[in-house]
Amino acid sequence: MTHIYQWWNALQSGVSQDWMSNAGLLLLLSAGLWAAWLLITRRLSTAAEKTRLFWDDALIDAIRRPVSWLIWLWPAAFSLGIVIDNTSDYSSAFLISIRHLMLIWTFTWVLLRLITNAENAICLTAKDATSINVVSKVLRLVVLVVGGLALMQNLGLSLSGVLTFGGVGGLIVGMAAKDLLANFFGAIMIYFDKPFKLGDWIRSPDREIEGVVEKIGFRMTVIRTFDKRPLYIPNSVFSSIVVENPSRMLNRRIKQTVGLRYQDAAVISHVVDDIKAMLSVHPDIDTRQTLIVSFDNYGPSSLDILIYTFTKTTGWVEYKAIQQAVMLEVVKIVHRHGADFAFPTTTIRMANTPQSQRGHEPGQSAQLTA
C-alpha cells in the first residue's frame, strides 16, 4: 500500500526518471479498469432486467458509456502530463482544469442520458406523453445550463459577470429573436392549456390545418396530415387560431333528412314512430344523448323527416359502418309501410290552343308533371 501511495505521489509531482514506464502503466491500468467496468455493467444489466423497476435499467444504461470514456480519458490526461513535464519546459498545470472539465462533462452526460432513458420508459405506459416530453425537455435545459455554468467557473470566468452579461445579452437576444421566444411561450401554453396532445387528431377552421399531432417541440409542432404529408407549424400560431380537437369527441352525430312522397302523407307518422323505435333499441346508438325523429318540413317535392342521433363510438371507420346500418334500416321501414322516397319533380302548366288541345274549352289548361 505504501509503494502505491509513493508511486501516486511521484505521478502527481510530474518529473520522474522512469516516466515512460509510468505512462505505460497508467494506460495499462485504464485497460484493466475498462475491462472490469464492462464486466460489472453487464452483470448489473442482467440483474436489472429481472426487476420490474425501470429506473435501474435507465441508470445503468446512462452511466455505462460516459464512465467508459472517463476511464480512458482521465489516465490519458495524467499520461500526457507526465510526457509534457519530462520532455519539454512547458507546464502541465492546465491539465488539472481539463480533468475537472472531464468530470463535469461526464456528470452532465450521465444526467442527460438518464433523463432520456426515463422519458422513453415512462412514455411506454403513460397516458399523457406530452407532459412527459415537456418535463424532460425542461430538465435537459436545466442540466445543460447548470453544466455550462460549472464549466465556465472551472475555466476561471466570474459567474456574477456571466449572469450580468447574460441579463443584458438576453434583452438584446430577446429583441432579435422575438419569434423564437413567441414559439417557446406558445409551447408552454400548449403544455398548460393542453388543447391537444401527441396522437390527437386536430384541425383548424381558420387555417388549412388538419391531421394527427406527431411531435410538440419548443419551436414548432409537427402534424401528419391524412395524406401523410408533414406540417411544421410554429407554436405561436396556436395562440391566435381556433383549434378543433375531434379526438376528444364523446360521440359522433348522425344527422339525415329523409324525403317521402306527398302521396305517402297518410303513413308518415307511422314511419316516424318506427324509425324512432328502431334507434331507441339499436345497440350502437347512445340513447342518453339527444334523439330526434320528426316530420320536419314540407319540401318542394317531398315530406321531409329529420333523423338526429348520436353513436356510442367516436372511431371514424366504425361510425360510418353504424351510419350505413341505420340508413339501411330506414329504407326497410319506409318500404314496409308502402311508402317510397321522393325525387325532384316539376309541374308545368301549359295554356290550351285549338291546334294543340282539342276537346277542351278555350281558357282551359293542360297539366304536365315531370
Side-chain angles (χ1 to χ4, degrees):
M1 193 70 181
T2 305
H3 295 293
I4 296 176
Y5 182 73
Q6 292 175 351
W7 173 72
W8 181 253
N9 286 336
L11 289 179
Q12 295 282 5
S13 63
V15 180
S16 174
Q17 295 181 352
D18 198 15
W19 62 270
M20 294 185 65
S21 299
N22 288 335
L25 185 59
L26 278 174
L27 295 178
L28 184 62
L29 181 62
S30 296
L33 287 175
W34 180 68
W37 175 248
L38 289 182
L39 180 61
I40 291 172
T41 52
R42 286 178 182 174
R43 294 286 181 87
L44 291 176
S45 297
T46 303
E49 290 175 356
K50 298 178 181 179
T51 66
R52 296 182 181 179
L53 298 175
F54 66 86
W55 288 106
D56 49 1
D57 300 89
L59 180 60
I60 293 170
D61 183 71
I63 65 176
R64 177 184 298 166
R65 185 177 298 177
V67 173
S68 295
W69 278 95
L70 185 64
I71 287 174
W72 283 107
L73 293 179
W74 184 274
F78 265 108
S79 299
L80 181 60
I82 294 173
V83 173
I84 291 175
D85 289 336
N86 290 274
T87 60
S88 68
D89 295 331
Y90 295 101
S91 174
S92 63
F94 70 96
L95 291 174
I96 298 176
S97 297
I98 291 179
R99 291 197 294 269
H100 292 166
L101 295 179
M102 286 181 187
L103 289 175
I104 297 172
W105 168 73
T106 302
F107 187 68
T108 303
W109 191 9
V110 168
L111 288 179
L112 292 176
R113 286 172 60 86
L114 179 61
I115 293 170
T116 301
N117 293 341
E119 177 190 4
N120 295 335
I122 295 174
C123 285
L124 294 176
T125 56
K127 295 182 180 180
D128 190 1
T130 304
S131 298
I132 304 301
N133 186 261
V134 171
V135 171
S136 65
K137 283 184 171 64
V138 172
L139 290 177
R140 288 193 197 97
L141 182 61
V142 170
V143 170
L144 288 174
V145 170
V146 174
L149 292 176
L151 290 174
M152 291 178 186
Q153 187 177 24
N154 276 273
L155 291 173
L157 298 177
S158 173
L159 288 184
S160 59
V162 171
L163 294 176
T164 303
F165 175 76
V168 178
L171 179 61
I172 299 173
V173 172
M175 296 177 63
K178 59 180 182 179
D179 291 337
L180 183 62
L181 291 176
N183 292 328
F184 173 76
F185 286 110
I188 298 299
M189 178 271 296
I190 293 173
Y191 170 67
F192 283 108
D193 293 344
K194 296 182 180 176
F196 52 82
K197 65 180 187 302
L198 294 178
D200 278 359
W201 162 29
I202 66 171
R203 61 187 175 197
S204 172
D206 300 339
R207 303 283 184 91
E208 293 183 1
I209 297 174
E210 183 172 11
V212 178
V213 179
E214 201 168 74
K215 179 183 178 182
I216 303 175
F218 276 131
R219 195 178 72 84
M220 65 176 58
T221 295
V222 181
I223 296 176
R224 183 73 60 175
T225 63
F226 293 121
D227 58 357
K228 302 306 178 183
R229 291 179 297 112
L231 294 179
Y232 300 93
I233 304 170
N235 291 327
S236 59
V237 171
F238 294 105
S239 62
S240 59
I241 65 172
V242 175
V243 177
E244 181 182 345
N245 192 339
S247 297
R248 297 181 183 176
M249 289 189 299
L250 301 177
N251 305 87
R252 282 189 179 271
R253 183 183 67 177
I254 296 177
K255 183 181 179 182
Q256 294 287 339
T257 298
V258 179
L260 302 185
R261 302 171 303 181
Y262 269 87
Q263 56 263 41
D264 299 325
V267 299
I268 193 168
S269 61
H270 302 296
V271 172
V272 167
D273 292 340
D274 285 0
I275 294 176
K276 191 169 186 177
M278 179 270 295
L279 293 174
S280 299
V281 298
H282 198 288
D284 296 314
I285 298 298
D286 190 351
T287 55
R288 297 172 299 175
Q289 306 298 326
T290 304
L291 195 159
I292 300 174
V293 182
S294 65
F295 176 29
D296 187 58
N297 185 45
Y298 292 101
S301 56
S302 64
L303 301 174
D304 296 334
I305 299 174
L306 172 66
I307 299 177
Y308 188 97
T309 187
F310 291 86
T311 63
K312 294 179 180 178
T313 183
T314 58
W316 174 252
V317 176
E318 188 178 358
Y319 159 76
K320 297 302 292 184
I322 295 171
Q323 184 185 46
Q324 173 180 283
V326 168
M327 300 316 297
L328 290 176
E329 287 296 324
V330 170
V331 171
K332 294 178 183 179
I333 291 171
V334 170
H335 289 165
R336 187 164 65 240
H337 287 279
D340 208 343
F341 298 94
F343 54 88
T345 59
T346 302
T347 301
I348 302 174
R349 294 182 179 273
M350 303 176 62
N352 280 338
T353 60
Q355 292 83 5
S356 61
Q357 297 290 339
R358 298 188 179 186
H360 293 277
E361 296 294 329
Q364 290 181 337
S365 62
Q367 190 169 332
L368 176 64
T369 301

